Amino acid sequence: MELGLQGRSAFVCASSQGLGLACATALAREGARVTINGRTEAKLQRAVATLQAAHPDAVVGYIVADLNSAQGRETILKTLPEVDILVTNNEGPKPGGLEEWTEEALLGAMEMNMIPAVQLMRQYIPGMRERKFGRIVNITSAMVKSPRYFMGLSTAARTALTAISKAIAREVVADNVTINNLMPEKIDTPRQDAVAAHFAKTEGLTRDEVRARTIATIAAKRFGQASEFGDACAFLCSAQAGYISGQNLQLDGGTYEGLI
C-alpha cells in the first residue's frame, strides 16, 4: 500500500534504538524525511548508518538533545521548527514499588513520559493545522489499560499523556491532524532486556529464564518484533489514516483480556 508519506517531514523522539528507531525506519522506508533524536551523537550516527544501509534512498538526519530538559526541547525546535509527523517516545522510569515513589520520583516520571510530548505537540500542532496535515503518534504502553504494580510510575505518566492527547485530538482532527497512541507490550527491544535484567537480579533467575517465563504469558507465545511495531506506526501516520484519531492501538500479541 502506498501510504502517501513521500516527502513528508517526520521527527521521532528517542529513536537511536528500540521502538523509536523501528518507527523511524518504517517512515523512512515509506519516503518520509526523518529526523531521529537521542542524547549520544555516536549512537545516533550508528543508527543513521544502519537505517540508510537498509534503505539507501532514505533522507535521515539527527538532533542531539535531551527531551527531558527545556533546553533540549528548545534545541529540537530551533533545528526543526516544523514537521508533518511527530512520534513521541522516551525511556521510562526504572521498575519499582510504592516505597520508592517519592515526590521527586513522581515528578521525574512526568518529566520523561508526559511533559516532553505535550510541549512538542504545543509547538508543532499549529503549523500542522495551518497546512491541513498532521500525524502524531505517542508511544505509550499496554499498561495504560492493564497497570502492573512494578511499572506504576511509568503507567501513571503515560496515562496522563493518553488523557491529554484525547482531549487535544477532538479539537484538531477537523484540520486533518490526528493523535493516536501505540501501546506496546513485550516487544523484543533493549527496554525488554532491562526489565528482564531487573527480575533476574531481584529473583535470582537467569536472563533466559526470565524471558521464557515472560513468553509463557503472551497469547502469541513469542515476543513482538520491533519492525511490526514500526509498520503500525507508519500506517497511523499515513494519508489513509485521517479518520483514525484519539485511539489506543495495542500491540501485545493478543494478550489483553478486556473487551474494550
Side-chain angles (χ1 to χ4, degrees):
M1 181 185 291
E2 171 57 54
L3 298 184
L5 297 180
Q6 193 71 36
R8 294 289 187 187
S9 60
F11 178 63
V12 186
C13 301
S15 46
S16 63
Q17 65 179 17
L19 299 180
L21 181 57
C23 292
T25 301
L27 291 169
R29 182 196 66 215
E30 296 299 324
R33 294 180 285 108
V34 177
T35 303
I36 65 173
N37 157 252
R39 291 175 293 190
T40 306
E41 185 165 19
K43 196 171 183 179
L44 287 166
Q45 290 174 339
R46 289 194 296 270
V48 169
T50 299
L51 199 160
Q52 291 187 317
H55 305 288
D57 294 332
V59 179
V60 186
Y62 67 85
I63 300 174
V64 181
D66 184 354
L67 290 165
N68 299 344
S69 72
Q71 182 179 1
R73 294 190 293 273
E74 184 178 350
T75 297
I76 291 166
L77 293 166
K78 283 184 176 179
T79 307
L80 199 63
E82 292 186 344
V83 295
D84 300 309
I85 296 164
L86 170 65
V87 180
T88 77
N89 181 40
N90 209 350
E91 64 179 343
K94 293 180 180 178
L98 184 60
E99 67 280 1
E100 299 167 288
W101 298 341
T102 62
E103 182 175 345
E104 182 181 9
L106 289 166
L107 291 171
M110 297 295 282
E111 288 171 354
M112 285 190 282
N113 297 140
M114 190 267 196
I115 292 172
V118 176
Q119 294 308 304
L120 290 175
M121 283 193 279
R122 283 185 65 237
Q123 297 300 320
Y124 285 135
I125 283 177
M128 293 176 173
R129 297 184 76 176
E130 288 178 9
R131 296 188 299 275
K132 303 300 180 185
F133 183 92
R135 298 289 185 264
I136 298 169
V137 176
N138 300 308
I139 299 176
T140 63
S141 169
M143 292 185 191
V144 168
K145 291 178 71 173
S146 301
R148 298 289 189 273
Y149 175 62
F150 73 98
M151 295 296 288
L153 276 184
S154 172
T155 301
R158 296 183 197 277
T159 301
L161 174 59
T162 301
I164 199 168
S165 294
K166 180 69 172 181
I168 300 167
R170 289 182 57 85
E171 183 69 17
V172 303
V173 69
D175 292 316
N176 192 30
V177 178
T178 66
I179 307 175
N180 293 290
N181 307 303
L182 287 177
M183 304 170 67
E185 186 172 30
K186 299 180 177 67
I187 310 293
D188 207 1
T189 65
R191 174 67 169 172
Q192 189 64 46
D193 281 337
V195 173
H198 168 78
F199 283 110
K201 181 178 179 180
T202 58
E203 299 184 18
L205 302 172
T206 67
R207 174 183 176 276
D208 288 344
E209 287 172 336
V210 174
R211 285 174 64 86
R213 185 178 69 178
T214 301
I215 288 171
T217 69
I218 303 171
K221 301 306 176 191
R222 67 174 178 88
F223 285 112
Q225 297 302 306
S227 60
E228 295 173 305
F229 188 90
D231 288 343
C233 179
F235 180 76
L236 288 179
C237 294
S238 70
Q240 291 91 331
Y243 207 60
I244 303 171
S245 194
Q247 302 304 308
N248 297 295
L249 176 60
Q250 290 187 246
L251 293 97
D252 66 354
T255 301
Y256 177 61
E257 295 181 353
L259 181 63
I260 299 173

